[in-house]
Amino acid sequence: MHVPQKGYLPQRQYAAHNSDVDDEEQEEVQECDEEKQDEDEVTLWPQSYRQSIDAYSFLTPPKLSILSPASLTRSFLSSSAGKRSYLQDDEEKDLKSQLLSAQEQDQATSTDTTTLVERKPSIVTIAHGFPREPQDEGCGFTQALLNGMNVLAGVGILTTPYAVKQGGWIGLVLLFSLAVICCYTGIILRKCLESRPGLKTYPDIGQAAFGSIGRLIISIVLYVELYACCVEFLILEGDNLSVLFPGTQLSLFGYTLDSHKLFAILAALFILPTVWLRNLHLLSYVSAGGVVASLIVVFTVFWVGAVDGIGFHETGKFIDIAGLPVSLGLYGFCYSGHAVFPNIYTSMKNKSRYNRVLTISFVLCAGLFGAVAAMGYKMFGDKTRSQVTLNMPKEFVASKIALWTIVINPFTKYALTITPVALSLEELLPINSSRFQQHLASIVIRTLLVASTVVVAISVPFFGFVMAFIGSFLSMAVSLILPCACYMRIRGSKLSLMELTLGIGIMLVGIVCAVGGTLSSLDAIIKQLKN
């Protein structure tokens, strides 16, 4: 089962089977064919990425039949599925054309090129294994803005005071500077998507830039980042539930589980059924609570400091060179939404407003991050812990509201985060297995994924340092390095001097932050494990 690279087969098929495409478009198609005629055919993995990541657009959520993989997996794995859909579509058109009058047929064959181009996206979708009808409506400006904020406003906000503790007050400058850079690279992804037809997702961009290897590398990095976020969710559950129920433990067969490990395991058991859900429609709506949760954190931190009497008296240090790499890694995690930005762009009704949506999303979220960072560090100073909620005195009502808000949030986001990883693995299942085997394999894969995140979470239960590692090793690549590398590769000699300078500069910044943050966070994790 092989399909040509680049994901442009639908356009070429369309041009080949329709005589009313003008000469100019045929020449472009031939040039695209010639560019790839010497490359080997490879399987486009993953094909499930777009539909699974679309679940983050909670206001226009997809319906995923997760535990019915007989049809889902076959469509992902079989290149002939798309071809059959395409041929059936042609047969229906031929049948309709026989019923048309001669005058209507003449009008149909005189369809202009603009109409053909507009119809191409629906065919691309079919060839990618998702036979969906073209949608005339998309997300409006407000919907897209909420989607963008929901992607950015995650659990990273809890660590911003700790990031200031690690790097000093200078970290706030870095926080806002990184927001500007990440917003720019998000706009670069749009330019990559618009560089040629058929590009819909981040892996598509990687393939357009570097072929099948680029698609594979970017997909793996994105999936590892999603998996690591699920590990963080379980560490988060263990830490915050331990504060709510201190001293809880369980002795079993001579082995004692402390409160952190016990609550991480219990949280995974409660989350597991949501990972098995056949339809993520409801969860994608509930996960919109990410924005609400962030607002609650800001409000409760302010309330505890200003009203409950903690005060904002700590001065802190201006800069700490030794902790600065970890601080940058934590800030990088806060802005790691680039995996979803292409999906937000393609879902918008008016795509020309994407830049404004992205800019406002970054401005608002950076403001939330900065507010919590400044208030938290002023309240707790050098005693600031990896999550600001762990510092807040539990006897205060505001503290309990913050803690329970943070505890509930991962229950809605874990399944949405791990599902793309699970679907990508289910694509690798043999397509000749029975429906029951497919169903059983799907359950086993998802259960093993959840179990593995539990093992990692209880083995390395250091929320702040694990987040810094993710932000440095993965998020810097996804948010800074890869967007610039792909854009420069796609544009080639058409790059302006300004674009080239900015691209190289951002890539160097990303590489320095990635290397420094990864080494520093790993060193801190090893020291914690020894202790």
Side-chain angles (χ1 to χ4, degrees), residues 493-508:
S493 59
K494 297 180 181 179
L495 280 171
S496 66
L497 180 60
M498 178 64 72
E499 289 177 326
L500 181 62
T501 303
L502 285 175
I504 294 176
I506 292 174
M507 287 182 66
L508 290 176

Side-chain angles (χ1 to χ4, degrees), residues 271-309:
I271 288 172
L272 184 58
T274 67
V275 180
W276 292 340
L277 282 178
R278 306 175 70 89
N279 193 313
L280 293 184
H281 184 90
L282 178 61
L283 272 184
S284 60
Y285 275 97
V286 178
S287 71
V291 178
V292 177
S294 298
L295 294 175
I296 291 175
V297 169
V298 175
F299 177 77
T300 52
V301 170
F302 170 78
W303 188 272
V304 169
V307 179
D308 288 334

Side-chain angles (χ1 to χ4, degrees), residues 449-503:
L449 281 173
V450 174
S452 64
T453 58
V454 173
V455 173
V456 178
I458 63 178
S459 300
V460 193
F462 316 119
F463 186 85
F465 293 131
V466 172
M467 181 176 288
F469 173 77
I470 299 171
S472 302
F473 185 67
L474 298 171
S475 300
M476 288 295 177
V478 173
S479 303
L480 271 67
I481 301 172
L482 292 176
C484 294
C486 290
Y487 182 65
M488 290 192 293
R489 174 75 173 182
I490 290 174
R491 292 283 294 172
S493 59
K494 297 180 181 179
L495 280 171
S496 66
L497 180 60
M498 178 64 72
E499 289 177 326
L500 181 62
T501 303
L502 285 175

Side-chain angles (χ1 to χ4, degrees), residues 229-260:
C229 288
C230 291
V231 173
E232 282 287 80
F233 287 149
L234 295 182
I235 300 176
L236 180 75
E237 292 294 306
D239 290 345
N240 286 274
L241 286 172
S242 295
V243 173
L244 290 169
F245 305 100
T248 306
Q249 61 180 22
L250 175 65
S251 296
L252 192 64
F253 303 113
Y255 182 77
T256 301
L257 290 173
D258 60 25
S259 58
H260 294 270

Side-chain angles (χ1 to χ4, degrees), residues 13-135:
Q13 284 181 329
Y14 197 94
H17 290 80
N18 291 271
S19 59
D20 46 352
V21 179
D22 60 17
D23 294 338
E24 181 179 352
E25 185 172 358
Q26 287 187 4
E27 290 178 1
E28 293 179 355
V29 171
Q30 291 174 358
E31 291 177 0
C32 185
D33 288 334
E34 291 173 359
E35 290 176 358
K36 290 301 168 187
Q37 65 182 357
D38 295 330
E39 297 185 11
D40 296 329
E41 292 185 345
V42 296
T43 302
L44 289 176
W45 180 92
Q47 296 187 39
S48 59
Y49 185 86
R50 181 185 178 188
Q51 189 172 358
S52 58
I53 295 296
D54 275 346
Y56 284 92
S57 299
F58 63 90
L59 291 176
T60 54
K63 296 181 179 180
L64 301 178
S65 300
I66 294 176
L67 295 186
S68 299
S71 59
L72 186 63
T73 307
R74 291 176 193 277
S75 66
F76 292 156
L77 293 175
S78 177
S79 62
S80 61
K83 184 176 180 180
R84 286 196 299 271
S85 299
Y86 176 80
L87 293 178
Q88 289 173 1
D89 187 53
D90 278 348
E91 291 173 0
E92 292 177 0
K93 291 176 184 177
D94 292 339
L95 182 59
K96 291 179 180 179
S97 64
Q98 294 175 7
L99 301 177
L100 292 173
S101 63
Q103 181 179 1
E104 291 173 333
Q105 289 184 17
D106 292 338
Q107 293 175 352
T109 55
S110 63
T111 305
D112 60 10
T113 304
T114 303
T115 305
L116 294 176
V117 173
E118 290 175 351
R119 294 172 61 185
K120 286 181 181 180
S122 64
I123 302 175
V124 174
T125 303
I126 290 174
H128 275 254
F130 304 105
R132 298 180 295 182
E133 293 296 327
Q135 297 180 353

Side-chain angles (χ1 to χ4, degrees), residues 197-247:
L199 303 184
K200 301 294 181 182
T201 65
Y202 207 149
D204 290 344
I205 293 173
Q207 185 173 6
F210 301 103
S212 58
I213 296 299
R215 183 183 186 89
L216 180 63
I217 291 175
I218 287 180
S219 299
I220 291 175
V221 171
L222 295 177
Y223 286 136
V224 172
E225 184 181 36
L226 292 173
Y227 178 88
C229 288
C230 291
V231 173
E232 282 287 80
F233 287 149
L234 295 182
I235 300 176
L236 180 75
E237 292 294 306
D239 290 345
N240 286 274
L241 286 172
S242 295
V243 173
L244 290 169
F245 305 100

